C-alpha cells in the first residue's frame, strides 16, 4: 500500500510500505477514506518527542483517520466488513484497570505501564492512518460507527482534536456565564473555543500571534487578542470587571503560556493544559497558583469517552467541525501538506488528505 512514511526530521515520504495484517483476534483492518495532519504530528516533523517516545524510522504516520472496515479478527463482535468507522487516536484494550476507569490513553496492555506507545503513527508497533489502510487493535473498543447522514469530514475530527478541545473545556469546568481565555487558534484551540461556547461560556477570548487565525476565531464568535501587540492582562481585567477569567485553556504546548494562564485567571479559577509539552519538566508560577487557589488539570485525550457525546451534536447541526478545514489534498501530496502546515503557509489551519 501507499503511505506517508517517517524517515526523520522534515523527511516524510509518500511511498510503498507493507500492507497491514491482522495480528490479533480483536484486530480490524480499515481502508482509509480520509485522514488529517495534526499539530501533534508536527512534533515528529520537527524532530521527535524528546524522551516521551523512542522513535525509529520506517512507519506510517498520522492518528486522525476514518474509513471502511475491510477485515476483522474472529474476536471482533461489533463490526463487520463494509462498516464505515472512525478510530480513536489513542488505543485501549477496554479491559485493563486504566481502561475500566475510562483512561484509555493509559492502557496498561498497550503501553506496558509507561510512555505513549498506544497513539497511532508514532512507532513501528502501531503504524498510523496517513495510509491507504491501517490495523486497529481491540477494534470493539477503539472503532466507532459513522452515521450514514454524516460526511467523512464531519466525523473525521472526532478521532482526536475535537475531543481534545472539548476535554480542555471540560477540565476547565467551563459553565454558563463564564469568561474563558483560550491560548491558541490552531485546530485544537478553535475546538476548545467552540466547546467552551457549547458549555455555556458567555465570553471566549482567543489569544494568538497569527492575525489570520485570529480573524477566523472572530468569525466563529470569539473575542481576540494578539498578545504581541496588546496587553492581554488589561484586556481580561477590562472584560471581567477587574476579576480575571473564570477559566483558561492552554492549547499550544508552551510552558510560558501556562504561566500567562495563571496570571490572567481569577482567584479560585481553573486552568486546563491540552497543548503537548514535550519538555520533561516545565517551570510553573507555583506560589501564584497557590495564593490564587487555582486548579490545574492536564492529560492525553481519551476520545472513547467523548465520541458518543459529541457525535449527536454534529448530527443535530449544533457543531460543525468542517469549518476549520483550509486544505484538501491527495495523500500523495502529504509531504507538501506538512511543509505548508509547519510553516503557516497559504493561510493554513487544517489539512485533510484523501488516499
Amino acid at each position: 500500500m501507499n503511505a506517508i512514511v517517517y524517515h526523520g526530521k522534515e523527511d516524510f515520504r509518500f511511498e510503498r510500505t507493507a500492507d497491514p495484517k491482522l495480528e490479533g483476534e480483536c484486530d480490524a483492518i480499515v481502508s482509509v477514506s480520509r485522514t488529517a495532519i495534526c499539530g501533534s504530528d508536527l512534533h515528529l516533523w520537527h524532530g521527535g518527542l524528546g524522551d516521551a517516545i523512542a522513535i525509529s524510522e520506517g512507519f506510517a504516520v498520522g492518528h486522525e483517520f476514518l474509513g471502511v472496515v475491510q477485515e476483522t479478527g474472529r474476536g471482533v463482535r461489533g463490526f463487520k466488513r463494509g462498516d464505515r468507522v472512525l478510530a480513536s487516536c489513542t488505543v485501549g484494550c477496554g479491559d485493563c484497570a486504566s481502561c475500566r476507569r475510562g483512561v484509555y490513553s493509559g492502557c496498561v496492555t498497550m503501553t506496558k505501564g509507561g510512555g505513549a506507545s498506544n497513539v497511532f503513527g508514532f512507532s513501528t508497533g502501531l503504524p498510523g492512518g496517513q495510509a491507504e489502510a491501517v490495523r486497529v487493535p481491540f477494534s470493539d473498543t477503539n472503532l466507532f460507527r459513522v452515521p450514514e447522514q454524516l460526511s467523512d469530514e464531519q466525523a473525521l475530527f472526532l478521532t482526536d482534536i475535537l475531543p481534545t478541545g472539548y476535554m480542555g473545556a471540560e477540565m476547565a469546568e467551563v459553565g454558563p456565564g463564564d469568561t474563558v481565555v483560550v491560548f491558541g487558534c490552531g485546530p485544537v484551540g478553535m475546538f476548545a473555543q467552540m466547546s467552551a461556547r457549547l458549555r455555556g461560556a458567555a465570553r471566549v477570548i482567543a489569544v494568538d500571534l497569527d492575525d489570520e487565525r485570529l480573524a477566523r476565531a472572530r468569525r466563529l464568535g470569539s473575542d481576540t487578542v494578539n498578545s504581541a501587540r496588546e496587553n492581554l492582562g488589561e484586556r481580561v481585567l477590562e472584560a471581567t470587571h477587574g476579576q480575571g477569567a473564570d477559566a483558561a485553556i492552554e492549547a499550544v504546548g508552551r510552558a510560558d503560556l501556562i504561566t500567562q494562564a495563571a496570571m490572567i485567571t481569577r482567584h479560585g479559577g481553573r486552568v486546563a493544559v491540552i497543548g503537548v509539552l514535550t519538555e520533561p519538566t516545565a517551570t510553573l508560577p507555583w506560589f501564584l497558583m497557590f495564593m490564587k487557589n487555582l486548579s490545574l488539570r492536564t492529560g492525553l485525550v481519551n476520545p472513547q469517552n467523548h465520541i458518543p457525546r459529541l457525535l449527536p451534536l454534529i448530527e443535530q447541526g449544533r457543531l460543525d467541525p468542517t469549518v476549520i478545514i483550509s486544505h484538501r489534498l491527495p495523500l500523495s501530496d502529504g509531504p507538501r501538506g506538512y511543509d505548508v502546515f509547519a510553516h503557516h503557509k497559504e493561510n493554513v489551519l487544517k489539512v485533510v488528505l484523501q488516499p
Side-chain angles (χ1 to χ4, degrees):
M1 72 171 182
N2 292 310
I4 300 174
V5 178
Y6 173 82
H7 286 282
K9 182 179 179 180
E10 296 187 13
D11 187 6
F12 287 19
R13 306 174 195 171
F14 178 72
E15 62 186 22
R16 296 290 299 176
T17 189
D19 291 340
K21 295 183 175 160
L22 297 174
E23 296 179 15
E25 63 179 18
C26 295
D27 289 356
I29 304 298
V30 175
S31 175
V32 177
S33 304
R34 291 290 189 285
T35 181
I37 299 175
C38 181
S40 299
D41 295 327
L42 292 183
H43 290 295
L44 284 179
W45 177 260
H46 291 309
L49 284 164
D51 296 328
I53 306 177
I55 304 295
S56 58
E57 293 185 25
F59 58 88
V61 295
H63 54 268
E64 296 180 313
F65 62 91
L66 56 69
V68 177
V69 174
Q70 294 299 309
E71 186 179 3
T72 60
R74 63 183 181 179
V76 176
R77 297 289 178 263
F79 301 94
K80 64 184 185 306
R81 179 180 174 85
D83 286 343
R84 192 161 65 113
V85 295
L86 62 91
S88 166
C89 65
T90 51
V91 178
C93 70
D95 192 49
C96 70
S98 287
C99 287
R100 288 197 299 272
R101 294 188 188 103
V103 189
Y104 300 92
S105 59
C107 174
V108 177
T109 302
M110 290 296 300
T111 66
K112 309 303 180 188
S117 56
N118 62 329
V119 181
F120 284 105
F122 282 91
S123 69
T124 55
L126 195 60
Q130 288 171 17
E132 293 177 329
V134 62
R135 177 182 71 92
V136 178
F138 302 108
S139 55
D140 282 327
T141 296
N142 302 298
L143 288 180
F144 294 82
R145 197 168 275 101
V146 178
E148 184 178 345
Q149 66 269 30
L150 293 187
S151 69
D152 286 347
E153 290 183 350
Q154 284 177 292
L156 176 59
F157 304 131
L158 285 165
T159 57
D160 175 13
I161 58 171
L162 178 51
T164 298
Y166 190 86
M167 180 184 74
E170 188 174 61
M171 289 193 303
E173 300 177 15
V174 175
D178 280 350
T179 294
V180 182
V181 175
V182 178
F183 291 87
C185 290
V188 170
M190 295 292 273
F191 281 144
Q193 295 164 40
M194 294 165 69
S195 297
R197 285 190 288 272
L198 275 173
R199 291 175 61 90
R203 173 177 284 148
V204 176
I205 301 172
V207 184
D208 208 295
L209 304 176
D210 187 319
D211 286 329
E212 293 173 334
R213 291 188 171 186
L214 288 167
R216 275 199 181 96
R218 282 195 298 274
R219 288 195 294 272
L220 293 176
S222 294
D223 296 339
T224 60
V225 174
N226 185 321
S227 54
R229 295 196 302 266
E230 303 174 72
N231 187 307
L232 175 62
E234 290 180 1
R235 283 284 304 275
V236 172
L237 289 175
E238 179 185 355
T240 59
H241 307 290
Q243 295 298 305
D246 298 291
I249 302 170
E250 198 284 339
V252 179
R254 284 173 35 191
D256 63 304
L257 296 183
I258 304 175
T259 296
Q260 289 189 44
M263 292 176 67
I264 56 88
T265 302
R266 65 166 171 78
H267 286 260
R270 297 88 59 190
V271 175
V273 179
I274 54 176
V276 179
L277 278 74
T278 58
E279 298 87 353
T281 60
T283 300
L284 300 177
W286 196 254
F287 188 68
L288 174 66
M289 297 176 71
F290 173 80
M291 293 301 294
K292 291 180 73 173
N293 288 85
L294 299 182
S295 60
L296 172 68
R297 294 185 65 187
T298 188
L300 183 60
V301 69
N302 301 284
Q304 296 92 336
N305 296 328
H306 294 96
I307 291 169
R309 297 158 60 194
L310 294 172
L311 191 55
L313 296 175
I314 300 173
E315 289 182 277
Q316 295 299 316
R318 294 183 58 196
L319 185 58
D320 179 12
T322 67
V323 296
I324 71 165
I325 300 173
S326 61
H327 288 63
R328 296 172 175 87
L329 302 173
L331 185 66
S332 57
D333 277 354
R336 183 177 79 83
Y338 271 94
D339 179 67
V340 168
F341 192 34
H343 296 102
H344 285 217
K345 298 177 181 178
E346 303 174 13
N347 195 17
V348 67
L349 183 58
K350 188 66 175 180
V351 179
V352 172
L353 306 171
Q354 182 175 1

